[in-house]
Structures are given as C-alpha cells and as structure tokens.
Amino acid sequence: MASPAPPAAPPAPADRRRRRRFGNAASDTLRAYAMNGPALIVLFSLVAYPIGYSFWVSLHQQNLKRPDDTRFIGLENYFALWRDPTFLSSLRTTGLFVVLVVSMTVVLAMILALVLNESFLGRGVLRSLALLPWAMPGVVNGLMWRTIFDANTGALNGLLTDLGLIDSYQAWLSSPSGAFFLTAFAQVWNTLPFAVILLLAGLSTIPSDLYDAAKVDRAGVFQRFRQITLPWLLHPLLIVLILETMNAFRAFDTIYVLTGGGPGDATSIIAVLNVRTALTYTDFGLGSAYSWVITAFTLIISVGYVAALYRKGSFEV
C-alpha cells in the first residue's frame, strides 16, 4: 500500500511578502480610483464631453435660424471652409498675427526677465507692477487701447502732438497696417507678464556657480547667455511658446473691442470669424468646425515646438 503524500510545504517567507505586497498594491490602486472617481467624472462632464460634443456638432448642418434642417453632413463643414475665400484670407492674417505676437512676446519677455532677475533697488515693486497688464481682462484691455488710439481724444495723439512729432491728430486704427500692428501690440501688452513670470522662474533655478565659473573663464555676456542661460530656459521657453501661440490664435476679445476685425478684414483672424459665425449667424456646425481648425493648428505648432526644442536639450514635459 502506497504511503500518503507528504503535506505541502508552507510558502516561503519571501513568497508571503510578495503576495502581501501585491495585495496591498492592488488595494491601493482600487482605493485611488475610488477616491479620484468623483473628480474624474466631473472632469469628464465639464471638459471631455463638451469637446467631443463640439466635434460631433461640427459634422452636422446646425443653424439655430433653421432648427428643422439639422442633419449629419460629415466633413462638409471643413471642406466648405477651405473653399471659402474669407477663411483663406483670415488664415493668412492669423498666421502673420501669431508670428508677430509670439516673436515680440518671447523677445520682450526674455529681456524683461533678465532685467528683473538682477539685483537693484525697487526690484520687488517693479516685479509687482509688471503683473498689472496680465490681470486686466481682454475686453478692458481692448477698451483701454481703443481710448488711447482714439483719433479725436486719444492720449497717443496728445502726447505726440505735445512732443512735436506730429502736426495733427491721426486715425491710427483706420489704416489696415496700422490697425494690424497696433492690435498685435495690445495683445502682446496683455499677455507679456505671464511669459515674464515663467522665464523669471526659470532664471531663478540656474546655479550661480555656473556664472561664476564662466566669469573666471572670461566668458562674455553673450557667451554666458548662449552657453548657460538659454539651455536652462528651454523648458519655460517651450511653455511660453505653446501658451502664447494658443493665446494668439484665440485672441478674440481684444481684437473685437479694439477694431471689430477691421478695417475691412485687416484684423479678422480665425477666432473673430469663429465667434461671428456661431453667435451672429447662429451657424453652430460651421462655428464648431472653425474651433477645431484652431485646435488642429495649435496642436501641430505645439508638436513642432516640442520637436525643435527636444533636439537641443532635455526637459520634463
């Protein structure tokens, strides 16, 4: 008669610890999902669902003036945009506007950040004052600059007349080129402080030992900027480029209050056409298509920024 099998050996202490660790990790994961579940549901309801619904609307012919004529038309709204000469003209205007605003913002923000990073009397007060334009809403910003550029009672005309630089008051916003550049300037003035804050935060993380060593090696100001400052600012510079590009593409309130998209279509960027199509003409299908075109352009340009800066340094995204 065969002898009974020996009882199974108890699990080794290492196996018990591994199982206990796995069980604790699984319970921690479930607990994390349970605690973050309400926030995820709210986030999906407030962000993901409206975004998805706007894309769904862009695939329909939906005009509030003809509510009974709503139907699915696929990508016809997007094809209609590329056949519209008004959209193509606004696309060129938007491209020039974005390039001008982003380049001016980056250059001026870099200069101001370098100045505010130095130690001098009243630096804290100047840093605080630099935040004021950023705290101003876009509508108020447009109203302020429209008052300054006014052809009859504008402060700019009064100042230039007192200085003897002009003989009579000028209508600065009546010419297409003047309106375009002054609108870009107003947009830069409004968004510049945020870029300065980001670059200033990046400058504060650079070890002073690097500059001391560079001075010992007799490196000049431009060499220190190119070899030390600029590589350390790649991450905040990337954030500035992406956010300022998004702001320039979506710059509606300042432009609408300042020029209304005119004169003619000199300042009629895509965001202005988007709001005008959706709210004035109540064409929500075509207006949603405008929104997704802006999103696509912003995404493509942002990926280009990341690809360009990633080859020059490493940063956390």
Side-chain angles (χ1 to χ4, degrees), residues 73-313:
I73 57 175
L75 299 176
E76 181 58 33
N77 282 324
Y78 296 93
F79 295 146
L81 289 181
W82 294 104
R83 295 191 300 263
D84 186 3
T86 303
F87 169 76
L88 298 179
S89 176
S90 71
L91 191 60
R92 291 190 294 269
T93 303
T94 303
L96 294 175
F97 184 81
V98 170
V99 170
L100 181 60
V101 168
V102 173
S103 58
M104 288 177 60
T105 302
V106 170
V107 172
L108 294 177
M110 185 69 71
I111 295 174
L112 290 176
L114 291 173
V115 171
L116 294 177
N117 193 50
E118 299 294 328
S119 297
F120 57 88
L121 183 63
R123 184 181 65 170
V125 176
L126 191 57
R127 284 183 173 183
S128 301
L129 293 176
L131 296 176
L132 293 179
W134 184 39
M136 187 173 294
V139 174
V140 179
N141 179 53
L143 288 173
M144 181 191 70
W145 286 108
R146 190 177 70 178
T147 304
I148 293 175
F149 297 143
D150 188 84
N152 299 317
T153 60
L156 179 61
N157 278 319
L159 177 62
L160 296 179
T161 303
D162 293 340
L163 294 176
L165 298 179
I166 58 176
D167 297 329
S168 60
Y169 278 27
Q170 305 293 321
W172 301 104
L173 298 176
S174 62
S175 65
S177 58
F180 180 82
F181 285 106
L182 292 178
T183 301
F185 173 79
Q187 176 68 17
V188 171
W189 188 87
N190 192 209
T191 59
L192 180 62
F194 182 66
V196 174
I197 292 173
L198 292 177
L199 295 180
L200 193 59
L203 288 172
S204 64
T205 62
I206 302 177
S208 59
D209 297 342
L210 296 179
Y211 290 110
D212 295 337
K215 292 178 181 178
V216 171
D217 294 338
R218 298 182 179 180
V221 175
F222 292 102
Q223 287 179 318
R224 295 197 299 268
F225 176 78
R226 184 169 56 88
Q227 299 294 337
I228 300 175
T229 305
L230 194 56
W232 276 80
L233 289 181
L234 284 179
H235 188 192
L237 186 60
L238 172 67
I239 299 175
V240 168
L241 287 172
I242 293 176
L243 294 181
E244 292 301 328
T245 300
M246 292 173 57
N247 290 332
F249 267 105
R250 297 183 294 107
F252 164 76
D253 41 10
T254 297
I255 295 177
Y256 189 79
V257 173
L258 190 57
T259 63
D265 58 353
T267 58
S268 183
I269 66 173
I270 298 179
V272 175
L273 292 182
N274 181 14
V275 176
R276 187 177 297 163
T277 301
L279 299 184
T280 303
Y281 306 136
T282 66
D283 192 340
F284 277 62
L286 192 60
S288 298
Y290 269 113
S291 301
W292 277 95
V293 168
I294 295 175
T295 303
F297 277 114
T298 305
L299 179 61
I300 293 172
I301 295 174
S302 300
V303 171
Y305 288 150
V306 174
L309 292 180
Y310 185 81
R311 291 194 294 266
K312 296 181 180 179

